[in-house]
Amino acid sequence: MSAARRPLLTATAAGTLLCALWFVPSANATADQGGGPIGVTQDGPATDAGHLAETGGRDTTPYLLGGTGFLGVGAGFVALAMRRRDRTS
């Protein structure tokens, strides 16, 4: 691949990613449909407005594994770039 096409490939990949992210649903929640405020207990006193509801624990294992995996892939790309830079100098 010629060096002149690399910026075009990078721009195409970035544009494709942005277009894909455009369709990710928003997490903005409103009370237009008759629901209460998000994260506020329904049976709590009026002074509790804005406090998070007690929902129990969350299983964070998939997030930790995914984050660790992405961190490893990113570190691998950095190492590969450093090796290529050292080879060309």
Side-chain angles (χ1 to χ4, degrees):
M1 179 184 312
S2 71
R5 290 189 181 182
R6 285 187 186 156
L8 180 62
L9 183 63
T10 303
T12 302
T16 303
L17 180 63
L18 286 174
C19 286
L21 289 175
W22 182 271
F23 293 102
V24 173
S26 172
N28 297 333
T30 61
D32 292 343
Q33 298 170 355
I38 301 299
V40 177
T41 58
Q42 294 293 327
D43 56 352
T47 59
D48 250 0
H51 292 184
L52 294 176
E54 190 64 39
T55 58
R58 289 193 177 129
D59 182 19
T60 58
T61 304
Y63 300 104
L64 291 173
L65 292 177
T68 303
F70 279 113
L71 185 64
V73 169
F77 280 135
V78 169
L80 180 65
M82 296 300 285
R83 284 183 75 178
R84 286 186 177 185
R85 185 190 66 167
D86 290 343
R87 252 193 278 164
T88 59
S89 336

